[in-house]
């Protein structure tokens, strides 16, 4: 058996074990169905055992109010408060939380009557659909791929590694474009410069995947994770302000640039020298040639990019007119602020989606790849068709979170763990580092950003909130742990594509080639990124606009 066949069919050691175990992991939908069943049974068992937790909570003190029915034509009472009524005071109340059985009569009624409402209240689905309108049109028109090609072409040779890695990070706004367009382009760009194509693949793959959940842009994943967190946070601290999609923007931008520098240095100082000089004879005899755009394609692409820029500028001008002037409709009507609590911030994800839509429409018109309303609507429908599996997964996640919260298991677990950790007094930072490492390990068998967060957030968001750690800080830690192992886990869906791409330039390449090439990125990026996170936390730099690293009073 050849080395390449052996590497693909039966890699040994720890990674081989991970692959064999990972291949037996069922579909995420089945995982959440199983989790729902576990929560149902566990709630009944814990309720029968009388499991409870006692904790102190802060609640508004009782306030007397007067109901009147003086409003003409109204069947609802009014509430009168004296002009000099003081602001309601808060008091500390001792509260006992008991497990509620989902197999009791009340629990069964709750499950049967709230399935639709649970899904309806789960704002994640709406976020996905709105965000993907613009991104889907831009990707279907070919704008994302054209931008990547153009930026690689104009990049100076000395900066090509950094540009490819950075573009990989940015491409996570439309992940397919990053994997399917940028990685092959990385190899081709390195070959054109007389460098090793596998180093180009490694740099692009690391850029796309090792820091997947950070970007200099707001991505659809940001909106989804934010909505999931707000759903959970509402059950922990109903009066706490909701997070918005910019809660990690500063940290995300900083992380994108920092990890790009780390991966660039690692590529040029270690990975590429280790690969040695590439010999074109290593290429497979039947390997497909790298696609070189024709002059006609380049002409259409250039026209498309020009129109995309014009359409985007028009969209920016419209938003500016709705935001910049005093008393503009997207400013806070009371304070006049643009950032913080304002219609502009609340609609930011929609605005970004519309920017992508405008750019996609301009590119499609200029390049001739998306002409007419039917083509545009077809692109949106095609994008939505591809979301069917994710929407079904969201349906199950909504039920899991709702049932978990109803049972009070999450509240009791978080309260008990918080008390134990509080007594241990080991500090917030070691806990956050531990959470990063836990996320890192989980990512080996569950690379998906959203399913993994949906499983661990119901426990850790309440736990860390009760310990005084802000949700945005927990999400920042999650970003650090989520990415580095993506490039080596056998469960990465694009791994077979990466192997085939490597075989185009080295016929003997297999899974072992890819894992050994990418493992340094996993180790170095994880260590460097954790240190970056620690420094950010200790300095106390806000994670985003109005998003401090600690809760107020923490």
């Amino acid at each position: 058996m050849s080395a390449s066949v052996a590497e693909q069919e039966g890699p040994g050691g720890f990674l081989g074990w991970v692959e064999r175990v990972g291949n037996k992991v069922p579909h995420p939908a089945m995982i959440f169905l199983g989790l729902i069943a576990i929560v149902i049974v566990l709630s009944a068992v814990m309720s029968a055992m009388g499991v409870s937790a006692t904790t102190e909570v802060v609640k508004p003190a009782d306030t007397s109010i007067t109901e009147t029915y003086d409003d003409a034509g109204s069947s609802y009472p009014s509430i009168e408060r004296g002009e000099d009524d003081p602001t309601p005071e808060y008091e500390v109340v001792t509260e006992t939380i008991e497990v509620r059985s989902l197999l009791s009569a009340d629990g069964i009624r709750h499950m049967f009557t709230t399935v639709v409402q649970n899904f309806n209240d789960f704002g994640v689905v709406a976020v996905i659909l709105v965000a993907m309108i613009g991104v889907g049109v831009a990707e279907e028109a070919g704008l994302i791929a054209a931008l990547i090609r153009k930026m690689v072409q104009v990049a100076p040779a000395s900066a090509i590694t950094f540009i490819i890695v950075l573009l990989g990070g940015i491409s996570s706004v439309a992940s397919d474009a990053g994997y399917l367009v940028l990685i092959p382009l990385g190899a081709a760009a390195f070959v054109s410069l007389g460098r090793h194509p596998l180093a180009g693949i490694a740099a692009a793959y690391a850029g796309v995947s090792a820091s997947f959940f950070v970007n200099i842009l707001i991505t659809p994943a940001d909106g989804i994770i934010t909505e999931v967190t707000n759903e959970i946070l509402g059950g922990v601290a109903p009066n706490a302000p909701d997070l918005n999609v910019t809660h990690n923007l500063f940290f995300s931008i900083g992380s994108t640039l920092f990890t790009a520098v780390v991966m660039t240095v690692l590529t040029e100082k270690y990975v590429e020298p280790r690969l040695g000089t590439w010999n074109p004879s290593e290429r497979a005899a039947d390997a497909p040639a790298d696609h070189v755009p024709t002059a006609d394609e380049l002409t259409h692409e250039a026209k498309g990019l020009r129109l995309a820029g014009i359409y985007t500028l028009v969209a920016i001008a419209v938003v500016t007119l709705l935001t910049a002037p005093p008393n503009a409709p997207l400013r806070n009507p009371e304070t006049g602020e643009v950032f913080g609590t304002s219609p502009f911030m609340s609609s930011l994800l929609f605005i970004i989606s519309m920017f992508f839509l405008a750019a996609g429409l301009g590119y499609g018109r200029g390049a001739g790849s998306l002409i007419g309303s039917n083509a545009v609507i077809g692109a949106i429908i095609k994008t939505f068709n591809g979301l069917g599996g994710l929407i079904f997964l969201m349906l199950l996640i909504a039920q899991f979170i709702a049932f978990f919260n109803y049972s009070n298991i999450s509240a009791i677990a978080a309260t008990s763990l918080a008390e134990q950790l509080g007594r241990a007094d080991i500090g917030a930072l070691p806990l956050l580092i531990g959470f990063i490492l836990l996320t890192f390990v989980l990512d080996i068998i569950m690379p998906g950003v959203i399913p993994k967060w949906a499983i661990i957030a119901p426990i850790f968001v309440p736990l860390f909130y009760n310990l005084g750690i802000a949700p945005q800080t927990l999400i920042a830690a999650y970003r650090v742990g989520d990415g580095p192992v993506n490039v080596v886990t056998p469960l990465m869906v694009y791994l077979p594509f990466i192997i085939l791409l490597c075989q185009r330039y080295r016929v003997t390449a297999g899974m072992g080639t890819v894992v050994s090439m990418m493992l340094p990125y996993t180790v170095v990026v994880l260590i460097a990124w954790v240190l970056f996170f620690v420094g950010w936390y200790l300095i106390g730099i806000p994670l985003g606009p109005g998003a401090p690293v600690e809760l107020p009073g923490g």
Side-chain angles (χ1 to χ4, degrees), residues 386-397:
L387 297 174
L390 182 59
I391 291 174
F392 175 63
L393 186 61
M394 293 298 105
L395 171 65
L396 297 179
I397 291 174

Side-chain angles (χ1 to χ4, degrees), residues 81-134:
R81 294 183 183 272
E83 292 183 1
D84 299 327
D85 284 352
T87 302
E89 296 181 355
Y90 288 81
E91 59 183 359
V92 178
V93 178
T94 300
E95 187 176 84
T96 299
I97 307 172
E98 298 179 345
V99 175
R100 292 195 287 181
S101 172
L102 285 160
L103 290 180
S104 66
D106 287 341
I108 292 172
R109 278 192 291 269
H110 175 81
M111 287 190 292
F112 273 73
T113 58
T114 61
V115 170
V116 174
Q117 192 62 40
N118 292 340
F119 192 45
N120 186 56
D121 292 342
F122 200 51
V124 177
V125 177
V127 169
I128 295 171
L129 296 179
V130 171
M132 292 309 295
I133 290 174

